[in-house]
Amino acid sequence: MRSFVRAAVALMFTAGAVLATGAGAQAGAPDTRDAQDTYAGCRSGYVCIYPGASWNGNRPEATYYRYGVYNLNNQIGTHRVFNNQTGGATVQLCTGYDGVGCGEKMPTWTYWDVNLTPINSIRLAP
Protein backbone atom coordinates (compact mmCIF):
# COMPACT_ATOMS: atom_id res chain seq x y z
CA MET A 1 0.00 0.00 0.00
CA ARG A 2 2.85 2.42 0.80
CA SER A 3 4.41 1.93 -2.65
CA PHE A 4 1.05 2.72 -4.24
CA VAL A 5 0.76 5.95 -2.22
CA ARG A 6 4.36 6.92 -3.09
CA ALA A 7 3.70 6.28 -6.78
CA ALA A 8 0.51 8.36 -6.65
CA VAL A 9 2.31 11.24 -4.90
CA ALA A 10 5.18 11.11 -7.41
CA LEU A 11 2.69 11.16 -10.29
CA MET A 12 0.87 14.10 -8.71
CA PHE A 13 4.11 16.11 -8.37
CA THR A 14 5.10 15.32 -11.96
CA ALA A 15 1.69 16.37 -13.28
CA GLY A 16 1.86 19.54 -11.19
CA ALA A 17 5.27 20.41 -12.61
CA VAL A 18 4.02 19.94 -16.17
CA LEU A 19 0.99 22.14 -15.51
CA ALA A 20 3.07 24.79 -13.77
CA THR A 21 5.49 25.09 -16.70
CA GLY A 22 2.77 24.81 -19.33
CA ALA A 23 4.66 22.01 -21.05
CA GLY A 24 2.47 20.46 -23.69
CA ALA A 25 -0.45 22.80 -23.03
CA GLN A 26 -1.64 24.37 -26.30
CA ALA A 27 -5.24 25.16 -25.42
CA GLY A 28 -6.14 28.75 -24.67
CA ALA A 29 -8.46 31.65 -25.36
CA PRO A 30 -9.62 31.94 -28.98
CA ASP A 31 -7.42 35.01 -29.59
CA THR A 32 -4.32 32.81 -29.16
CA ARG A 33 -5.07 30.84 -32.34
CA ASP A 34 -2.12 30.67 -34.69
CA ALA A 35 -1.91 32.14 -38.17
CA GLN A 36 -2.84 28.86 -39.87
CA ASP A 37 -6.34 28.57 -38.42
CA THR A 38 -9.43 28.91 -40.56
CA TYR A 39 -12.86 29.17 -38.98
CA ALA A 40 -16.16 28.95 -40.85
CA GLY A 41 -14.33 29.35 -44.15
CA CYS A 42 -12.61 32.56 -43.00
CA ARG A 43 -8.84 32.31 -43.09
CA SER A 44 -6.74 33.62 -40.24
CA GLY A 45 -5.88 37.29 -40.70
CA TYR A 46 -9.09 38.09 -42.58
CA VAL A 47 -12.37 39.88 -41.93
CA CYS A 48 -15.23 37.98 -43.56
CA ILE A 49 -18.81 38.94 -44.32
CA TYR A 50 -21.49 36.25 -44.64
CA PRO A 51 -24.98 36.64 -46.08
CA GLY A 52 -27.60 36.57 -43.34
CA ALA A 53 -27.10 35.90 -39.65
CA SER A 54 -25.30 32.58 -40.18
CA TRP A 55 -22.01 31.06 -41.28
CA ASN A 56 -23.59 30.30 -44.70
CA GLY A 57 -22.17 26.77 -44.82
CA ASN A 58 -18.66 28.15 -44.17
CA ARG A 59 -18.80 30.30 -47.32
CA PRO A 60 -18.22 34.03 -46.76
CA GLU A 61 -19.49 36.32 -49.51
CA ALA A 62 -16.66 38.84 -49.04
CA THR A 63 -13.20 38.71 -47.46
CA TYR A 64 -10.76 41.49 -46.56
CA TYR A 65 -7.13 41.07 -45.57
CA ARG A 66 -5.07 44.28 -45.75
CA TYR A 67 -5.39 47.14 -43.29
CA GLY A 68 -7.30 50.06 -44.71
CA VAL A 69 -10.79 51.14 -45.73
CA TYR A 70 -13.08 49.20 -48.03
CA ASN A 71 -16.26 50.64 -49.51
CA LEU A 72 -19.18 48.21 -49.54
CA ASN A 73 -21.68 47.72 -52.35
CA ASN A 74 -25.08 46.04 -52.28
CA GLN A 75 -24.83 44.91 -48.65
CA ILE A 76 -28.48 45.16 -47.57
CA GLY A 77 -30.10 43.61 -44.50
CA THR A 78 -28.53 41.51 -41.77
CA HIS A 79 -25.12 39.96 -42.41
CA ARG A 80 -22.59 38.25 -40.16
CA VAL A 81 -19.28 40.15 -39.92
CA PHE A 82 -16.44 38.05 -38.47
CA ASN A 83 -13.08 39.49 -37.39
CA ASN A 84 -10.61 36.62 -37.75
CA GLN A 85 -7.58 38.93 -37.83
CA THR A 86 -4.65 38.31 -35.51
CA GLY A 87 -2.51 40.38 -33.16
CA GLY A 88 -5.36 42.46 -31.76
CA ALA A 89 -6.34 43.97 -35.14
CA THR A 90 -9.81 45.53 -35.23
CA VAL A 91 -12.55 46.22 -37.74
CA GLN A 92 -15.02 49.11 -37.67
CA LEU A 93 -18.29 49.50 -39.54
CA CYS A 94 -18.72 52.99 -41.01
CA THR A 95 -21.88 54.72 -42.18
CA GLY A 96 -20.05 56.88 -44.75
CA TYR A 97 -17.92 55.90 -47.70
CA ASP A 98 -14.13 56.01 -47.34
CA GLY A 99 -14.18 55.21 -43.61
CA VAL A 100 -16.26 58.17 -42.43
CA GLY A 101 -18.56 57.82 -39.41
CA CYS A 102 -17.04 54.65 -37.99
CA GLY A 103 -18.50 52.98 -34.94
CA GLU A 104 -17.16 50.75 -32.21
CA LYS A 105 -14.05 48.66 -32.85
CA MET A 106 -14.76 44.94 -33.16
CA PRO A 107 -12.00 42.94 -31.46
CA THR A 108 -10.34 39.87 -32.93
CA TRP A 109 -12.11 36.53 -32.89
CA THR A 110 -15.52 38.22 -32.71
CA TYR A 111 -18.55 38.25 -34.96
CA TRP A 112 -21.56 40.53 -35.10
CA ASP A 113 -24.87 39.94 -36.86
CA VAL A 114 -25.61 43.46 -38.08
CA ASN A 115 -27.86 45.30 -40.50
CA LEU A 116 -25.44 46.50 -43.17
CA THR A 117 -28.02 48.64 -44.99
CA PRO A 118 -26.71 51.89 -43.39
CA ILE A 119 -23.07 50.70 -43.53
CA ASN A 120 -21.11 51.95 -46.53
CA SER A 121 -17.52 51.03 -45.61
CA ILE A 122 -15.38 49.05 -43.18
CA ARG A 123 -12.01 49.94 -41.68
CA LEU A 124 -9.38 47.28 -40.81
CA ALA A 125 -6.68 48.52 -38.45
CA PRO A 126 -3.82 47.05 -36.40
Side-chain angles (χ1 to χ4, degrees):
M1 180 70 166
R2 283 187 184 175
S3 61
F4 175 75
V5 170
R6 281 188 204 140
V9 169
L11 180 60
M12 187 172 63
F13 281 122
T14 302
V18 168
L19 290 175
T21 62
Q26 297 299 316
D31 60 318
T32 63
R33 298 168 72 91
D34 70 29
Q36 311 217 345
D37 287 339
T38 296
Y39 185 82
C42 188
R43 296 189 332 209
S44 179
Y46 283 74
V47 171
C48 298
I49 298 178
Y50 299 82
S54 75
W55 297 111
N56 190 40
N58 298 334
R59 291 184 318 271
E61 65 181 347
T63 59
Y64 305 93
Y65 180 73
R66 298 193 190 285
Y67 296 139
V69 174
Y70 297 89
N71 290 325
L72 302 180
N73 293 308
N74 300 318
Q75 297 293 335
I76 298 171
T78 300
H79 294 260
R80 179 161 290 173
V81 179
F82 176 42
N83 184 4
N84 198 23
Q85 297 180 97
T86 59
T90 61
V91 63
Q92 291 176 280
L93 307 176
C94 310
T95 55
Y97 286 104
D98 300 320
V100 174
C102 296
E104 179 182 351
K105 292 180 178 180
M106 179 191 301
T108 57
W109 193 246
T110 302
Y111 75 89
W112 291 343
D113 293 334
V114 62
N115 179 6
L116 291 184
T117 303
I119 304 302
N120 289 301
S121 62
I122 62 172
R123 177 188 304 270
L124 280 62

